[in-house]
Every structure is written in structure tokens, then in C-alpha cells.
Amino acid sequence: MFKNFIGGDWLEGQRVSRNINPSDTRDLVGEYAQADVAQAQHAIAAAQAAFAGWSLSTPQQRFDILDAVGTEILARRQELGDLLAREEGKTLPEAMGEVTRAGHIFKFFAGEALRPTGELVPSVRAGVGVEISREPLGVIGIITPWNFPMAIPAWKIAPALAYGNCVVFKPADLVPGSAWALAEILSRAGLPAGVFNLVMGRGSEVGATLLDDTRVTAISFTGSVATGHRVAASCVARMAKFQLEMGGKNPMIVLDDADLDVAVNCAINSGFFSTGQRCTASSRLIVTDGIHDRFVAAMAQRMQTLTIDDARKVGTDIGPVVDQSQLRQNLEYVAMAREEGGRVVCGGEAMAFSKDGQPGFYMRPALIADTDAAMRINREEVFGPVVSVLRATNYEQALALANDTPFGLAAGIATQSLKHATHFKRHAQAGMVMVNLPTAGVDYHVPFGGRKGSSYGPREQGRYAAEFFTSVKTAYTQA
Ligand code: NAD
């Protein structure tokens, strides 16, 4: 059994959860400890006790530890990628890409530990100096979703530690394997006991304990809108700092002047790769009249060529859906879109088996045309390989449709018009905008995050991460 890591010790939980391979449900990835409320509190106490020492650790110490973690992750990318693909269902190349990204993130924040920023400014008063510096916050509760089980924990844990905070990490219930492997690497990297703690367990128990405990200074959360709102309510009630990254309903506009191949490549990649289970997935394709029919036909043709199979098999383009309930939800949205008047151009059916007869949660990606902005398929996040098409008469209408959503994470456009691309970058109501690129797939050294209902609080990643993981102090000195 894989145990929790609390106060420098590996501890059994009160229960055990079984981690199942969605590509072959007969395959048990492992049994993982499940903490209860008392164990979560134990981890918080350990982190709090470690903070005084760790907050005064040297930049060199923090650099060495984070750099070593990054080096080991990169050296083991094949093995860790295999584990990730096995438990989550994204393809092996996608999983190795995610692991690589996690390694790079640790190395980036190792460097950031050596680059503390501050300012020394003259006061408006004679003889007075003003210093502006950043200090660590304390204990950070980190709560993550299942769809990026290595990269999302990395982009929260690495900056938290780099800026001198202690961490209690609660991963998603469905994917404890990658979280445990990351924790095991951190456990050997030279961190003092209690600085980093892994507490696997239920959101309603372990997660809720982190939200409500006043010893947890800040919460960094990525997950669904519903849970995000719960996190916000709990944090506001006790005035804890928090940041939320939640759902998306990301548009991609295809204009008449787009390169058809570029547009199709972008839509296939960001709509269906990683089984559509990306918060930055393009789930609404908004296509102008002049290219609409050619684009839909080319999409349907390309979709016939996609191989849906075991995530770890060479040649697989799309792995399984993560679990039974997500698969059911995807199929329900396809049925609902049909009832609302959408035309299922292709896909949308479950497949009970892989090509080799393994039982799994497979589904053919779905393309649904003739939809309108009011349909639920265009308003709610599905979080699967289900993409709808909306028709627009011109760029202006396409932009209005793109922005007609409660979400605002990513937005894309395929066009050869500099004028429209430039206008779109300024007027798309999203935190991340892509021109002739998939909406999913971003760099690790620049800010990540959205607007409107998708995000709340400071951006994650890159140097902007300091906004969340530190507190600014202004000190005045009379010489
Ligand atoms: P989820 O909200 O169900 O769970 C996220 C985490 O919250 C899990 O660790 C879960 O155990 C925990 N949790 C659940 N109930 C809780 C509670 N009452 N108190 C505290 N914690 C609790 O989300 P999910 O299904 O794991 O992930 C899918 C969602 O994540 C999608 O909506 C997707 O768009 C979103 N997501 C967003 C981003 C982004 O950066 N915007 C990135 C990836 C995923």
C-alpha cells in the first residue's frame, strides 16, 4: 500500500482507495492510503511547526532541493509518464510531455528561489528609506484535479516551496499514483520534516479540513466550478488567501481566410487530444459561413483516422475517458445536444473495449454541428471529447459568440488576417489567447489563468506566481 507522507514519516491511512487503469479496468495500479480529518490535521500541524525554520532557509538550499527534484523527474520521464498514462488515460507521449513539463517547472522555480525581488525607494520624507520585500505566507493547502496529476501539483508545490512556504498537498482521488511518486521524490530531496506533506483522501474530508483550519494561511485550488465556489466561501469566511482555477468552455474561431489544415489541426488537437479532458480544450468551434461546410467535412474526415485505444499503446491518438461517471456524463451531453437540435456529425458513442479486447472507458470523439449559443452543450463544460460547431456570418458575430459564455480561460482564432488576429487578441474575454495555435498547450515560464467564471485570484506559473505565494512588506527606516 502507498502511504501518506506527514511530518517526514510515511503513514498508513484509515482506509484504502483502489487506483484503476481506465484503459483496462482489470488492471489495479495500486492501493493508496486515505487519510481522515485527524490525519489531515496532523499534516497541518507538522507544516506549521516546520515553517519557522523553512521560511529562513537560504535561497541556495531551496535552489538545490528544487533543482534536484526537477532533475530526477526529467531523468525518470519515461517511467513516470507510463504511470501517469496508466492511471489517467492520456496517451504515453502526452503523459511524458506532462512529466517533462513538471520537471521544467521545478527547475524554473529553483531559479526563482535565487532571484528574490525587492525594491529600495526613497521616501517622500527626508532621511527616510523605504524597502519593499516579499515574505512567505506560511502553510499552503494545495488541492488539485485529476486531469494533470503531475503538472498541476508541480506548478503549485514548486513556487510554494521556492518562496519559503510549507505545503499540505491533497491530490485528486482518481489519480493518487502520480501524486505519490512526486511526493516520494520530494521526500528524498533534503527538505526538513514537515515542510512538504502528502495527504491523500476525500475532498469532503481532507480537502474540507484544509479549507477550514486557521493554521492554513492560503489555499491554491484547481478543479470544478462547484468545488471552487465552496473553496471561496470557506476561505472568505476566515479571511484566508485563495486562488482558483476552474472550468472552461473555450471558443476557437475559424474565419473564411483561415488555412484549413491549420484550423483542423488546432481543433483536433485542442478539442480531442488528452481525451478532451483539459480545462483549455476548445469545446466550441465558431466558424464563418464561407468555410463552414468545408471545415466540418475536413474535421469529420480527420476524426475517422484517429486511433482510440489503450493509452500506453504505440499509435494511440486518444486514450480512454478517466472513469465511468465522466464517460456517462459525456454521453449524456451528446444525447442532450441531439435533443436540443444539434446534428451529431460523427462519434459520440461509447466503446466497451480496446482494440485488444481490454475493458475500458473508451469513447469515439463527438462533433456536433448546427448548434446555437443557447444550447446547454454551448454553455456548460463537458470535460470530454465532445465539441460543438456554431455558425457565424462574419468576424464580429463570431467574436460576440466567443465571448458569450460565463467562462474565460482560453480563446483561439484561425485566420490569416493580421487585422482580425490583432483585434481578437485585445477583445477576446479570456486569460489566454491563441492565434493559429490550439487553445490547449501552453508554456511553463509565463502566467496561466483565466477571467470571468474560470479563475479567481492571482495568476499561476512564471514569475507571476510570486503574487500568490508571497506577501509584500513595506519597511520604513529613519537613518
Ligand atoms: P473537482 O472539483 O471534483 O475536484 C478537485 C479537487 O477538489 C479534488 O482534489 C477533490 O478531491 C477536491 N474536493 C472535492 N470536494 C471538496 C471539498 N468539499 N472541499 C475541498 N476539496 C474538495 O474537480 P475534478 O473533477 O478533479 O477536475 C475537473 C475540473 O477541473 C474541470 O472542471 C476542469 O475544467 C478543472 N480544471 C481547471 C484547470 C484550470 O487551470 N483552470 C486545470 C485543470 C482542471
Side-chain angles (χ1 to χ4, degrees), residues 83-229:
L83 171 65
L84 202 166
R86 185 174 166 208
E87 72 171 349
E88 199 269 352
K90 64 182 64 172
T91 66
L92 187 57
E94 289 169 338
M96 285 176 62
E98 179 178 340
V99 170
T100 303
R101 180 190 178 97
H104 287 152
I105 288 168
F106 272 95
K107 286 189 168 282
F108 176 86
F109 283 107
E112 285 304 283
L114 291 175
R115 281 182 221 108
T117 51
E119 286 179 80
L120 196 55
V121 294
S123 165
V124 293
R125 288 168 283 168
V128 174
V130 184
E131 292 159 40
I132 305 163
S133 59
R134 290 185 179 276
E135 294 182 356
L137 298 176
V139 177
I140 313 285
I142 291 178
I143 303 177
T144 56
W146 50 261
N147 66 325
F148 280 92
M150 184 66 83
I152 292 179
W155 81 53
K156 295 179 188 296
I157 294 167
L161 297 176
Y163 298 119
N165 301 286
C166 294
V167 167
V168 180
F169 168 39
K170 193 219 97 60
D173 321 24
L174 279 174
V175 288
S178 300
W180 188 90
L182 179 59
E184 198 277 328
I185 294 171
L186 281 156
S187 76
R188 290 181 286 99
L191 290 166
V195 171
F196 170 80
N197 304 273
L198 168 74
V199 193
M200 299 175 284
R202 290 187 189 143
S204 55
E205 278 181 87
V206 173
T209 302
L210 292 177
L211 301 186
D212 293 336
D213 196 308
T214 52
R215 293 171 295 181
V216 179
T217 323
I219 297 283
S220 182
F221 169 85
T222 300
S224 64
V225 171
T227 313
H229 286 194

